[in-house]
Amino acid sequence: MTSLFNRNFNVDIKEKDSSTYQLDVTMKDMYHDFLLTLDVETSEFIIENVQLKLNKKPKEECEELKTLVKKMEGVRVSQGFTKSVTSTLGGSKGCPNLVNLFLISAPLALNVNATVDKKNENLTKEELEILLSDVLGGACLAYPVKE
């Protein structure tokens, strides 16, 4: 069977320094080749810096997205993040692909941080689960808000 459309996403998270992760997020398909780079501070999970590189874009107007993503600097990756992303980057003045790039990448900084903590502190599986529940509480069905 012949593919009609193929889109690939990739998220690569690196430790930029002792208090910052750099997230490189790519999206490639027949119309797009985007690279979104986020620097996320790891104590409060604040997005410190955002860069967008458009190697391939469907229209020249898409260049405006480079300015739009800067509005995400200073936003905390926590409860309400999805709403902030969709209201800032979505709609007729934004781009649903940017919304997707932010939503598939930035919350991973929380998960990675918990994993790094386990590696650095030799936490047991049970201790890691408690940590993940604290960090991710309210983020999804698997980690509800603690009462």
Side-chain angles (χ1 to χ4, degrees):
M1 191 178 322
T2 303
S3 174
L4 299 175
F5 184 82
N6 186 303
R7 174 173 285 171
N8 291 293
F9 294 94
N10 187 63
V11 180
D12 185 20
I13 302 176
K14 302 174 190 91
E15 193 171 48
K16 186 173 183 176
D17 59 45
S18 63
S19 64
T20 309
Y21 291 149
Q22 178 178 313
L23 289 67
D24 292 319
V25 192
T26 58
M27 180 187 77
K28 294 181 181 186
D29 62 34
M30 63 193 333
Y31 307 108
H32 306 87
D33 182 354
F34 287 7
L35 169 60
L36 176 68
T37 300
L38 307 173
D39 291 342
V40 178
E41 183 275 325
T42 59
S43 68
E44 296 290 324
F45 298 99
I46 305 288
I47 297 173
E48 294 181 330
N49 186 40
V50 180
Q51 299 293 322
L52 178 64
K53 187 173 182 183
L54 305 171
N55 297 313
K56 186 178 184 183
K57 57 195 176 285
K59 297 188 92 173
E60 195 56 38
E61 290 85 354
C62 297
E63 284 293 320
E64 295 175 31
L65 299 175
K66 291 179 179 180
T67 303
L68 183 63
V69 296
K70 291 298 210 176
K71 292 183 178 183
M72 293 303 296
E73 292 179 350
V75 172
R76 185 174 183 195
V77 183
S78 63
Q79 202 165 13
F81 181 71
T82 298
K83 184 176 182 180
S84 179
V85 170
T86 55
S87 65
T88 303
L89 302 176
S92 62
K93 303 274 186 195
C95 174
N97 294 313
L98 279 183
V99 170
N100 291 334
L101 289 174
F102 271 86
L103 294 181
I104 66 169
S105 63
L108 288 174
L110 298 158
N111 299 52
V112 168
N113 199 60
T115 304
V116 168
D117 283 349
K118 179 182 181 198
K119 185 173 140 184
N120 291 340
E121 298 176 16
N122 296 317
L123 298 178
T124 66
K125 187 176 179 178
E126 293 77 21
E127 290 169 327
L128 178 60
E129 187 60 33
I130 291 168
L131 178 64
L132 285 172
S133 291
D134 290 343
V135 171
L136 300 175
C140 67
L141 178 67
Y143 296 99
V145 174
K146 287 185 175 183
E147 307 218 2

